[in-house]
Amino acid sequence: MKLIVKCPNCNTENKAPHTMDNRIDYAMKYGDNFSVKCVSCGETTTYHVDEIRAVDYSFSELLINKLLIFGVVYVATLVLGIYLVGAMGGIVISFVVILLAFFLAKRNDTSKNLTFNRHKLKRRMANVNLRK
């Protein structure tokens, strides 16, 4: 999951300075407001945590971030496939398993983004005690 904020001057997407799974944890650890210098125009802007937006990684970013995991899965299925069904079967099985692992990782990333973008701090009522 990639966290971004948009520059109000030039609408460039800039990476948020920290990464968390939800806004509440982000605000608790780093505060409600933070500053980011735009990579395009160089203007420093202060943002509220609710202005962060989670977006999906591109294909290449996801591949680079999960390269070690995909590599281990590929080698394990290739060796196991060659041992069980032969060389050609091992290659086909490992390719199918890698595609399945990639699509599952992409789906998991998308669901995390939806959860992050759905919950904002402004709507939350913290420490409200209605009982007397």
Side-chain angles (χ1 to χ4, degrees):
M1 167 169 68
K2 181 169 55 170
L3 301 179
I4 61 163
V5 289
K6 275 200 170 187
C7 177
N9 300 324
C10 63
N11 284 336
T12 302
E13 292 182 347
N14 295 299
K15 187 177 175 187
H18 309 287
T19 302
M20 283 286 181
D21 287 337
N22 59 56
R23 285 187 171 92
I24 296 168
D25 291 343
Y26 196 101
M28 286 174 61
K29 189 162 186 180
Y30 303 110
D32 287 352
N33 298 310
F34 59 94
S35 296
V36 174
K37 185 175 181 180
C38 179
V39 295
S40 181
C41 67
E43 191 74 27
T44 301
T45 307
T46 302
Y47 297 95
H48 189 268
V49 174
D50 286 343
E51 296 179 70
I52 300 173
R53 193 171 49 118
V55 295
D56 286 336
Y57 284 118
S58 66
F59 176 77
S60 60
E61 289 172 328
L62 185 64
L63 191 61
I64 290 169
N65 288 341
K66 309 277 188 204
L67 190 61
L68 181 64
I69 295 169
F70 289 153
V72 169
V73 169
Y74 179 75
V75 169
T77 56
L78 181 64
V79 169
L80 191 61
I82 289 172
Y83 177 73
L84 294 176
V85 291
M88 193 58 154
I91 293 170
V92 170
I93 289 171
S94 62
F95 183 71
V96 169
V97 168
I98 283 297
L99 285 177
L100 181 65
F102 175 76
F103 287 119
L104 289 175
K106 186 79 169 159
R107 193 172 115 201
N108 184 32
D109 197 39
T110 301
S111 67
K112 282 182 182 178
N113 292 348
L114 290 173
T115 302
F116 187 91
N117 290 333
R118 188 178 313 139
H119 301 291
K120 298 205 177 207
L121 288 179
K122 290 180 183 175
R123 297 183 194 154
R124 177 172 69 102
M125 293 176 58
N127 299 329
V128 174
N129 189 2
L130 298 176
R131 296 183 196 175
K132 289 190 174 185

